[in-house]
Amino acid sequence: MSMGVAGMIAGMALAFAGYFGGFGAFLLVAALGAVGFVVGRFLDGDMDFGDFFRTRDERRRGRP
């Protein structure tokens, strides 16, 4: 699935949640989508747990 299609599906899900469930449902869907994105990146191996604790300078220099 391309990133454009995935973004369109996510946008549609947020729109439906906002329209039918209100702003609280919109925020819940957005938060769960963000959690799912991060978990997916971990499972794909694109992200490490330590990425959350490194400073920007360390990431730019490529330090482990």
Side-chain angles (χ1 to χ4, degrees), residues 39-59:
V39 168
R41 295 285 304 258
F42 274 121
L43 293 177
D44 284 343
D46 294 337
M47 188 182 290
D48 293 328
F49 187 69
D51 289 343
F52 290 108
F53 301 107
R54 291 188 193 117
T55 63
R56 287 185 190 168
D57 292 335
E58 289 175 346
R59 280 184 259 161

Side-chain angles (χ1 to χ4, degrees), residues 10-25:
M12 289 173 60
L14 288 171
F16 278 113
Y19 183 76
F20 292 111
F23 188 67

Side-chain angles (χ1 to χ4, degrees), residues 1 3-18 26 29-30 33-34 37:
M1 179 184 306
M3 292 300 288
V5 172
M8 181 186 68
I9 291 170
M12 289 173 60
L14 288 171
F16 278 113
F26 173 82
V29 170
F37 174 75

